[in-house]
Amino acid sequence: MTQSPAKGISSAVAEADPTFLSLTSVSKVYPNGYKAVDALDVDLPEGKMLGLLGPSGCGKTTTLRMIAGLVQNTSGHIRVGGRDVSQEPPHRRDMGLVFQSYALFPHMTVAENVAFGLEMRGISRRDAKGQIEEALEMVRLPGLGSRRPRELSGGQQQRVSLARALVIRPRILLLDEPLSNLDAKLRDEMRVEIREIQKRLKITTLFVTHDQVEALTMCDLVGVMHGGKLAQLGSPEDIYERPNSLFVAEFVGRTNKFRARVTGRNRIEIGSETFSADTQGRISGDVTATVRPHRIALTPDRDRGIVSNHTNAVRGRLLRVTYIGDLIQYDLDIGGQELKVEHHTLSSGPRHVEGEMLMCEWAPADMFVYGDES
Ligand SMILES: Nc1ncnc2c1ncn2[C@@H]1O[C@H](COP(=O)(O)OP(=O)(O)O)[C@@H](O)[C@H]1O
Ligand SMILES: [Mg+2]
């Protein structure tokens, strides 16, 4: 049999990007019988950053702690570089951890805090000195080694815990809501900084967060969790543009949501209005339809000629205009239902006024249909 060139290329890609962290059917049942994580499957290539995103209580921290070895998985396999580490104690797994709460020792200096992980591994003070300074430089805190944690700002303390996680040169970096205690401006800065460090070191990273902006902007892959299960795993664009369930569509980004009825192939009805959307093979039945507020164009009703087949269009009366600064939000009444529309202030063109009749239009591809099972 001859080997096709395509196969050669795909195997080269596979070599450059092998799965490094792999969870296979990993579950956790706590001693009280509660199943916090339910048959999780995740493959993360070496050097990539995965954002585990979901609401509070969905099992993110439990997942991270199982990978770290701080919580024993009830079933399934956790593999690092092909080797099952499920039975290994935390210190043998070579993982760097950062928590929301910093978890620094208050009575130790910054340098002693950073050195802690190295000493646990039997590295002498003398050898450690250069590594500590290097780790502090990496997080842009050079020369602050003799300070105490309480003499630092929250952002600086979180940098120290990042330095402490990185100084052991871990095989995997595990971050559990590391930015949640920081104020908004600092959070923006740290987002960029953590991502830059992660890329520079090419360190395989799991980043746990309930904040969709963090997951979408920082990560190569995003796994959305819901009730202990992985609802969707994909690139940030997949997750936002092609949510595979109503849960993901609503949890990631804002969306309008309507009860609708499928009336034929790729045709749905909301109230008495008809729209086009991919009905995923359905030709009848009750569904929920969604469309994102910023994908809806508004034009004055009088400008309308014939509505094209390629567009969904509905007349609406403008109920409210809310100016948010970078955004303007319009709430419209479309035949008894409310439709939210958002435009950037720059691109919004003429401001519409309350009471105005407007034509609301969006592409069928921007409308999603979900059955009740999702
Ligand atoms: N030690 C425990 N015993 C029993 N239930 C727990 C324990 N730790 C966490 N849980 C429960 O497991 C679920 C998932 O928790 P967690 O992994 O911390 O979620 P997240 O980090 O997504 O907020 C929650 O309902 C939580 O109450
Ligand atoms: Mg948590």
Side-chain angles (χ1 to χ4, degrees), residues 55-268:
S56 174
C58 71
K60 305 181 296 294
T61 293
T62 302
T63 301
L64 178 134
R65 293 174 74 86
M66 283 193 287
I67 297 169
L70 301 171
V71 163
Q72 182 61 49
N73 51 310
T74 315
S75 56
H77 299 281
I78 300 169
R79 294 190 183 87
V80 179
R83 199 163 53 85
D84 196 325
V85 299
S86 306
Q87 302 306 318
E88 287 187 2
H91 66 273
R92 294 278 304 280
R93 297 194 190 188
D94 270 344
M95 297 188 185
L97 268 88
V98 176
F99 305 100
Q100 177 178 347
S101 61
Y102 320 141
L104 299 174
F105 299 111
H107 59 283
M108 291 186 186
T109 65
V110 165
E112 285 164 351
N113 267 285
V114 176
F116 183 74
L118 289 171
E119 282 165 23
M120 295 288 286
R121 283 171 172 71
I123 293 165
S124 78
R125 273 276 161 110
R126 201 158 52 89
D127 292 344
K129 203 157 179 287
Q131 291 179 47
I132 293 163
E133 200 43 46
E134 194 187 346
L136 287 173
E137 264 166 39
M138 212 179 288
V139 299
R140 298 201 301 127
L141 285 179
L144 292 189
S146 57
R147 297 265 191 101
R148 306 260 167 200
R150 66 167 179 279
E151 297 168 316
L152 302 177
S153 69
Q156 287 175 322
Q157 289 186 51
Q158 196 52 300
R159 285 166 204 266
V160 174
S161 54
L162 187 57
R164 184 180 58 187
L166 292 172
V167 75
I168 63 165
R169 306 208 163 264
R171 300 214 294 164
I172 293 179
L173 183 61
L174 302 171
L175 309 169
D176 193 353
E177 311 248 7
L179 308 181
S180 299
N181 277 358
L182 307 178
D183 62 47
K185 192 162 176 293
L186 202 54
R187 212 156 48 216
D188 286 354
E189 281 173 32
M190 286 292 281
R191 274 211 296 261
V192 175
E193 214 163 303
I194 289 178
R195 176 60 160 162
E196 276 180 358
I197 291 170
Q198 184 273 328
K199 277 184 166 171
R200 183 146 36 88
L201 301 179
K202 296 191 179 67
I203 183 165
T204 312
T205 300
L206 184 78
F207 182 94
V208 161
T209 181
H210 66 271
D211 181 322
Q212 46 158 317
V213 176
E214 288 176 10
L216 294 179
T217 59
M218 295 173 69
C219 299
D220 300 295
L221 281 171
V222 176
V224 182
M225 280 187 80
H226 181 212
K229 291 193 164 88
L230 199 61
Q232 190 171 357
L233 179 68
S235 68
E237 236 182 284
D238 282 338
I239 299 291
Y240 188 85
E241 300 289 347
R242 291 169 287 280
N244 67 357
S245 63
L246 185 57
F247 173 79
V248 174
E250 287 194 284
F251 188 74
V252 183
R254 288 177 296 279
T255 196
N256 288 287
K257 180 171 91 166
F258 302 103
R259 289 302 293 161
R261 213 171 61 246
V262 178
T263 53
R265 199 169 164 270
N266 297 341
R267 301 299 291 173
I268 62 171

Side-chain angles (χ1 to χ4, degrees), residues 286-298:
D286 291 337
V287 292
T288 300
T290 65
V291 56
R292 302 234 185 249
H294 69 279
R295 294 288 164 84
I296 302 168
L298 295 177

